[in-house]
């Protein structure tokens, strides 16, 4: 039987709309069902300990001072410092036990008999669980005492400084802000302990794991973990069956006339687009250097190999871990996005054989705007976190302070405008194809993929520092996860298909159908799959089954992408030495494999609800993030950069030696870092959570264990290999700028590729094997 391309496209549109409606409804309920900030938190004697405004300002201090890139809140953020929710909760438990022991038995808790300690523990657990969230939160005597003790300890650590933790003095600029930050952290600890009305489960579904506070895994985490395993087997089988049943076109090289780069005429805007590559290469090097610095901070929290001390300045004060982390994450997104922007602008003339008037000038405008946004955003992070931007503008011009969305709102708007300009320029470039093809054609699909990135990024405009942390996290994960599992995966499929078409290894009509079919599964599972991030942040328990089902189904499109990578490897391996695109293929194949390993294997493991309950916010997540983000999206971007450099370098001057070295250094370095460093540390943390509680696994005592310190040192070769790989890539990219081809006469009637594309006949459907 045959399925028409139009039918697949309509199904894709219906799924995308359904996803937005579903998640939009989820947003409505997030506002209704998340814990309200109380008007006031009242002590046992009726004294007001904190007000709603204190908690609001505490969240602002948390963001402004970059505390989400030092530690985490509700498990989300950096892992260098404590998780503030778990830390505040554990401190509440410890201090309440001390208070109850003195009040009831007149002695220290540690001196009590085992039975009396059990009685104290029961009292503390009951008081924490039985609180109520309303206009006012009334604390018991024990809670009041503990609340004040926790707040004082936060003032001492985050204002007074704690060098052993890598926290400089006045990290939070004032005692008042430090006090308010403590109120904010304590608020999250309270609703993590207090049961929801008419329920025996806390607002965070019993997270973090802390038996002393009454938090243990909910039954739903076990039940849906079992369901997830069943879905994995069924989903994996379904993915393989679909791949075998649907005769998707595969690239072939035998008997195909692959156009050589020297035969392709290039347009001025393409040379302008290639300028994005060296910019991205420099950002890539800086990003990897910051990654190495962050990794070393885990070993030496007060400096960097003693160099700063020898030179007479305080490295931690000038450039603390939180700023290094913010820059590291943002630069990762920026260098990958920069390469994708350049690739998207390079491809239209290649496929159409024409160029709009003034396209080169507009491309330069976009490159200039990108430079302003990058410099402004990174500088704003440093100035804001260091206290140089105060008042109402701190989150507009400085640092918004949320992981992956650290830059101020003005720079976020600039990025969104940049996506819009890029989409308009790509549309201008593809205008001949857009006129000639249906709205389900390849050029349209590129615009849809790129436009969806901007559309989902707009969710970052739906909250402010005054928005509840639970609702803020709801929208933040819209941006972060829907990019990764929805728009980015869609973009990968489209770009790879376009590249195969431009190599003459796949017909355009066939590529269009393959893209739509695979995008159906990417969008079908990936968008709603974001909900596995909603399990422990203060949203209801029904997100556990939703997140489980759709996160597991995300495995299906990864099967397709893996098979696609294997088929591309077959093409490359059967090609002779005259095939000019072997190196770009190597990067693209690596992207597919790392996508399966990072997003598929590691992603599935940590997204089992019961595993995630204990694992949330550990180095297992770090391993998953590195393998999925850099492995999947980074290698694709590098492969596409290599592809367009193949065109713009003088044929006689093209050499692959350094780029091949970079390829292997980056792959070996990433594997070393993830397998030798991140994953073993993550499993040690997982064991510590099981045996001692979540707070213990994120404590300085855990990181200072000799085995953990040795693993950080053991990870160092991987970091060095990645830094070397990025440096060699950058060197070779800059070197190739000096052996660039000259711009050719573009008055011809198209290129070899464009004449082939426009000469194709329409193909009617995707064949499905009946057997």
């Amino acid at each position: 039987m045959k399925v028409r391309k139009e039918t697949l496209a309509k199904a894709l549109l219906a799924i995308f709309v359904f996803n937005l409606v579903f998640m939009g409804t989820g947003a409505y309920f997030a506002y209704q069902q998340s814990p309200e900030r109380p008007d006031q938190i009242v002590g046992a004697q009726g004294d007001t300990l904190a007000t709603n405004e204190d908690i609001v300002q505490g969240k602002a201090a948390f963001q402004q001072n970059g505390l989400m890139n030092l530690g985490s809140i509700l498990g989300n953020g950096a892992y260098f410092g404590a998780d503030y929710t778990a830390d505040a909760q554990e401190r509440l438990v410890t201090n309440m036990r001390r208070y109850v022991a003195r009040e009831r038995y007149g002695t220290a808790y540690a001196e009590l008999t085992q039975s009396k300690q059990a009685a104290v523990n029961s009292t503390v657990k009951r008081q924490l669980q039985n609180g109520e969230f309303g206009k006012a939160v009334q604390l018991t005597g024990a809670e009041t005492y503990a609340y004040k003790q926790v707040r004082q300890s936060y003032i001492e650590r985050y204002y007074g400084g704690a060098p052993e933790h890598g926290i400089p003095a006045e990290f939070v600029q004032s005692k008042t802000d430090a006090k308010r930050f403590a109120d904010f952290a304590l608020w999250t600890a309270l609703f993590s302990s207090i049961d929801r009305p008419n329920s025996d489960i806390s607002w965070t579904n019993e997270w973090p794991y802390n038996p002393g506070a009454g938090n243990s895994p909910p039954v739903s985490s076990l039940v849906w973990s079992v369901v997830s395993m069943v879905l994995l087997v069924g989903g994996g089988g379904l993915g393989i069956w679909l791949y075998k049943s649907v005769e998707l076109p595969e690239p072939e090289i035998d008997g195909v006339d692959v156009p050589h780069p020297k035969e392709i005429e290039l347009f001025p805007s393409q040379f302008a687009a290639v300028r994005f590559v060296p910019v991205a290469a420099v950002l890539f090097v800086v990003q990897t250097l910051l990654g190495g610095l962050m990794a070393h901070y885990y070993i030496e929290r007060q400096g960097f190999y003693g160099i700063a001390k020898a030179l007479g300045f305080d490295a931690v004060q000038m450039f603390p871990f939180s700023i290094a982390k913010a820059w590291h994450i943002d630069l990762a997104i920026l260098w990958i996005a920069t390469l994708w922007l350049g690739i998207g602008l390079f491809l239209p003339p290649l496929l159409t054989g024409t160029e709009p008037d003034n396209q080169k000038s507009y491309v330069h405008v976009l490159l200039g705007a990108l430079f302003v946004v990058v410099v402004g955003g990174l500088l704003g992070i440093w100035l804001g976190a260091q206290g140089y931007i105060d008042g109402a503008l701190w989150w507009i011009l400085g640092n918004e302070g949320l992981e992956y969305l650290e830059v101020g709102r003005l720079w976020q708007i600039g990025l969104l405008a940049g996506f819009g300009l890029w989409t308009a320029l790509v549309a201008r470039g593809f205008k001949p194809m857009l006129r000639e093809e249906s709205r389900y054609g390849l050029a349209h699909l590129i615009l849809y993929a790129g436009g969806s990135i901007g559309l989902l990024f707009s969710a970052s405009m739906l909250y402010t520092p005054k928005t509840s942390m639970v609702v803020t996290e709801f929208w933040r994960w819209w941006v972060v996860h829907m990019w990764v599992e929805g728009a980015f995966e869609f973009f990968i499929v489209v770009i790879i298909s376009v590249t195969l078409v431009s190599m003459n290894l796949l017909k355009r009509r066939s590529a269009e159908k393959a893209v739509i079919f695979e995008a159906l599964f990417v969008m079908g599972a990936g968008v709603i799959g974001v909900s596995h991030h909603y399990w422990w942040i203060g949203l209801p328990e029904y997100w556990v089954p939703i997140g489980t089902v759709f996160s597991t189904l995300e495995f299906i499109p990864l099967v397709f992408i893996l098979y696609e990578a294997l088929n591309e490897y077959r093409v490359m391996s059967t090609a002779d030495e005259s095939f000019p695109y072997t190196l770009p293929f190597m990067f693209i194949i690596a992207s597919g494999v790392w996508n399966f390993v990072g997003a598929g294997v590691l992603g599935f493991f940590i997204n089992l609800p019961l595993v995630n309950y204990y694992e949330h916010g550990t180095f297992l997540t770090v391993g998953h993030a590195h393998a999925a983000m850099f492995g999947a999206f980074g290698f694709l971007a590098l492969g596409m950069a290599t592809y367009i450099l193949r065109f713009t370098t003088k044929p006689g001057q093209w050499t692959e030696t350094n780029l091949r070295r970079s390829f292997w250094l980056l792959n070996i370095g990433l594997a070393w870092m993830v397998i030798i460093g991140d994953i073993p540390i993550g499993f040690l943390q997982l064991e510590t959570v099981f045996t001692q509680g979540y707070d213990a696994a994120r404590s300085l005592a855990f990181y200072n264990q000799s085995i953990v310190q040795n693993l950080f040192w053991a990870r160092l070769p991987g970091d060095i290999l990645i830094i070397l790989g990025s440096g060699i890539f950058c060197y070779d990219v800059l070197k190739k700028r000096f052996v660039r081809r000259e711009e050719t006469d573009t008055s011809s009637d198209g290129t070899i590729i464009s004449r082939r594309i426009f000469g194709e006949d329409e193909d009617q459907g995707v064949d499905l094997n009946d057997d």
Side-chain angles (χ1 to χ4, degrees), residues 157 159 177 207 252 500 516:
R157 175 179 292 186
Y159 174 72
D177 280 349
W207 190 91
E252 295 289 346
L500 293 174
I516 296 173

Side-chain angles (χ1 to χ4, degrees), residues 188-209:
T188 66
L190 286 173
F191 73 69
S192 296
S193 308
I194 296 173
D195 288 343
R196 284 179 178 270
N198 304 315
S199 172
D200 59 356
I201 295 176
S202 78
W203 289 84
T204 56
N205 297 320
E206 297 294 297
W207 190 91
Y209 178 54

